[in-house]
């Protein structure tokens, strides 16, 4: 089969890989009809996440058609159209039973590595390094889906393939980011980063009762989508002082909740952002933390800081004293996608959101090297790339 593979920092290629096979009675094989490039994939592309090996198949946002099932998979049949959550869950462990699917105890065969780094390991992830299990990803023609009796969700006929691929990660991730804020009617929410997760976090914040959402970015195409697609007020951090502007908007109190939808590769214009870039370039730091620091300073006392943006290592110069003094609440982590697919699919069917409105680029797997570079470098007004391994359906 054809697949997108990792070849080193800043290098991917599209080539031939072995067809996946059923290895366990709970497996299924999916023929991928649509797959997307996520901002988290760019962390792999940039060499920011350890544990990658040459030839690893990328991609954790995908949907498709079931072509084979193991003997214990009774909920799916050949021909079913499904979306697959990016986190792999067993369904039986303590965390799965609590609906904390991305914290599954049993799906990361390399858990001992993460236990040494973080104390404990969460679930295995598709296409996201050997730290998270080394599972082949979905930027390919076919993919093996383990625990297929738990993960893949059948799709309603009214949801298109391109709409469905958003249910694998970014739409649920944006929703969970907003849900983690415990938004009350009338709240003001600030969202850093107007990529796909940030845009869906804005939409979700309004669904959950926010009165005002302030979207912070510097790229015109993303700010435009924040206004037209998500109906937020926008703030260009390259032109305005973010702290001062947010204090002005909130009459000195600060936003009730702040969402960091940027994560480990944050950009900024301040001294601390330049400090981050230098340390990161010299391999003296794992993450660039400008947005996290700024959100801590901006959030109102007693407010909530929600972090859907991925962080990978040990953080430098985090103003935790400010967070403590202000009594901030933190909520973060990989998304429990299984929990959100059905209610968000219903919102798509009702016409409350069409996630494909943010798509800027569509193509085939062979377009992946160009798409990765274009998405990373914010060229061609790129906001989201979807690939169809077998052509448009």
């Amino acid at each position: 089969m054809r697949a997108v593979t990792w070849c080193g920092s800043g290098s991917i290629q599209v080539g031939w890989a072995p067809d996946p096979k059923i290895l366990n009675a709970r497996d299924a094989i999916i023929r991928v009809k649509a797959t997307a490039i996520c901002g988290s994939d760019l962390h792999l592309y940039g060499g920011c996440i350890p544990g990658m090996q040459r030839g690893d198949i990328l991609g954790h946002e995908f949907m498709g058609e079931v072509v084979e099932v193991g003997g214990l998979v009774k909920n799916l049949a050949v021909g079913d159209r499904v979306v697959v959550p990016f986190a792999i869950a067993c369904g039986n462990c303590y965390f799965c039973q609590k609906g904390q699917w991305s914290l599954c105890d049993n799906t990361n065969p390399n858990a001992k590595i993460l236990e040494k780094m973080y104390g404990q390991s969460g679930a295995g992830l598709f296409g996201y390094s050997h730290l998270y299990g080394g599972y082949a990803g979905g930027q390919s023609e076919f993919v093996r889906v383990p625990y297929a009796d738990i993960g893949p969700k059948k799709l309603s006929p009214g949801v298109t393939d391109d709409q469905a691929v958003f249910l694998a990660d970014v739409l649920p991730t944006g929703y969970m980011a907003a849900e983690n804020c415990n938004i009350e009617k009338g709240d003001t929410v600030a969202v850093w980063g107007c990529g796909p997760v940030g845009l869906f976090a804005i939409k979700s914040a309004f669904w959950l009762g926010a009165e005002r959402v302030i979207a912070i970015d510097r790229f015109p195409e993303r700010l435009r989508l924040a206004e037209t697609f998500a109906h937020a007020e926008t703030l260009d951090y390259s032109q305005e002082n973010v702290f001062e502007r947010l204090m002005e908007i909130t009459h000195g109190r600060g936003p009730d909740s702040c969402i960091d939808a940027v994560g480990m590769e944050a950009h900024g214009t301040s001294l601390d952002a330049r400090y981050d870039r230098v340390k990161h370039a010299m391999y003296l730091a794992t993450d660039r933390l400008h947005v996290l620091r700024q959100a801590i300073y901006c959030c109102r006392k007693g407010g909530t800081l929600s972090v859907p943006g991925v962080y990978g290592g040990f953080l430098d110069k985090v103003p935790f004293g400010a967070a403590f003094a202000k009594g901030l609440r933190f909520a973060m982590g990989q998304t429990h996608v299984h929990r959100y697919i059905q209610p968000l699919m219903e919102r798509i069917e009702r016409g409350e959101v069409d996630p494909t409105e943010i798509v800027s680029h569509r193509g085939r797997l062979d377009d992946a090297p160009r798409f990765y570079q274009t998405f990373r470098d914010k060229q061609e007004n790129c906001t989201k790339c979807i690939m169809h391994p077998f052509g448009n359906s």
Side-chain angles (χ1 to χ4, degrees):
M1 68 173 184
R2 300 277 285 168
V4 179
T5 59
W6 188 86
C7 300
S9 179
S11 176
I12 63 168
Q13 68 179 20
V14 183
W16 295 98
D19 289 344
K21 300 181 183 301
I22 296 286
L23 301 179
N24 183 283
R26 296 178 70 183
D27 288 352
I29 305 299
I30 307 296
R31 179 180 184 267
V32 179
K33 299 181 73 178
T35 182
I37 300 173
C38 179
S40 298
D41 291 325
L42 297 183
H43 301 325
L44 302 175
Y45 183 53
C48 298
I49 303 294
M52 293 297 294
Q53 297 178 11
R54 186 178 181 87
D56 284 347
I57 298 174
L58 298 170
H60 59 271
E61 296 181 356
F62 61 95
M63 59 76 59
E65 179 182 319
V66 177
V67 295
E68 188 178 357
V69 294
L72 294 179
V73 180
K74 307 300 183 184
N75 58 313
L76 300 177
V78 172
D80 283 343
R81 202 169 58 105
V82 297
V83 63
V84 183
F86 74 84
I88 303 166
C90 74
N92 300 318
C93 71
Y94 171 85
F95 295 100
C96 288
Q97 291 295 305
K98 290 178 69 68
Q100 297 175 329
W101 305 97
S102 70
L103 301 178
C104 178
D105 265 338
N106 295 324
T107 58
N108 185 357
N110 298 328
K112 290 189 180 300
I113 302 174
L114 276 187
E115 287 168 1
K116 290 179 180 178
M117 294 176 62
Y118 298 151
Q120 292 179 305
S121 170
L125 308 178
F126 286 103
Y128 214 75
S129 93
H130 291 263
L131 293 181
Y132 292 94
Y135 291 97
Q139 289 172 10
S140 55
E141 293 181 330
F142 297 91
V143 63
R144 180 180 76 94
V145 176
Y147 301 96
D149 54 330
I150 297 297
K153 303 300 179 187
K154 294 181 187 179
L155 292 161
S156 301
V159 175
T160 68
D161 291 351
D162 283 6
Q163 288 174 330
V165 79
F166 285 88
L167 293 168
D169 179 1
V170 289
L171 181 50
T173 295
Y175 189 89
M176 184 169 131
E179 185 181 69
N180 279 342
C181 292
N182 297 313
I183 294 168
E184 297 180 357
K185 189 174 178 60
D187 275 1
T188 296
V189 179
V191 178
W192 277 258
C194 297
V197 168
L199 291 170
F200 292 125
I202 295 167
K203 285 284 240 189
S204 301
F206 282 124
W207 288 339
L208 294 171
E211 181 175 323
R212 302 179 74 179
V213 180
I214 318 301
I216 303 160
D217 208 305
R218 69 182 171 96
F219 294 100
E221 64 276 9
R222 294 187 172 209
L223 292 169
R224 191 179 310 115
L225 279 172
E227 292 177 346
T228 60
F229 170 75
H231 308 297
E233 302 168 52
T234 57
L235 196 167
D236 182 342
Y237 70 78
S238 69
Q239 302 297 320
E240 299 186 79
N241 182 293
V242 172
F243 178 84
E244 291 177 359
R245 182 70 180 118
L246 288 178
M247 291 304 113
E248 179 184 339
I249 290 170
T250 59
H251 306 289
R253 188 177 67 187
D256 299 288
S257 300
C258 293
I259 297 176
D260 172 2
V262 178
M264 66 191 300
E265 294 188 87
H267 294 273
T269 59
S270 62
L271 179 62
D272 76 296
R274 294 194 290 272
Y275 167 86
D276 286 343
R277 284 198 299 273
V278 170
K279 290 201 70 173
H280 192 261
M282 297 175 67
Y283 300 98
L284 297 174
T286 56
D287 304 66
R288 300 198 300 261
L289 309 173
H290 168 70
V291 164
L292 182 63
R293 297 188 195 102
Q294 193 169 70
I296 289 172
Y297 279 123
C298 291
C299 196
R300 73 159 169 84
K301 292 180 288 186
T304 299
L305 178 53
S306 173
V307 187
V310 173
Y311 286 90
F314 297 91
L315 307 189
D316 187 19
K317 304 294 187 295
V318 175
F320 208 76
F324 177 84
K326 295 168 71 173
L328 300 185
R329 293 169 292 178
F330 285 74
M332 63 195 77
Q334 300 285 5
T335 307
H336 308 306
V337 173
H338 301 61
R339 181 191 300 174
Y340 300 107
I341 288 177
Q342 186 60 41
L344 291 174
M345 182 160 52
E346 291 171 4
R347 286 187 182 270
I348 293 173
E349 288 186 285
R350 292 195 297 266
E352 296 176 25
V353 61
D354 178 3
T356 64
E357 289 183 31
I358 74 169
V359 177
S360 58
H361 290 64
R362 288 181 171 89
R364 304 287 291 267
L365 289 181
D366 285 337
D367 294 305
R370 177 173 65 88
F371 281 178
Y372 266 84
Q373 182 175 348
T374 301
F375 193 27
R376 180 196 63 188
D377 296 341
K378 309 297 188 295
Q379 299 170 339
E380 303 174 9
N381 295 326
C382 185
T383 51
K384 188 67 174 179
C385 304
I386 290 182
M387 298 175 289
H388 302 99
F390 296 95
N392 285 308
S393 53

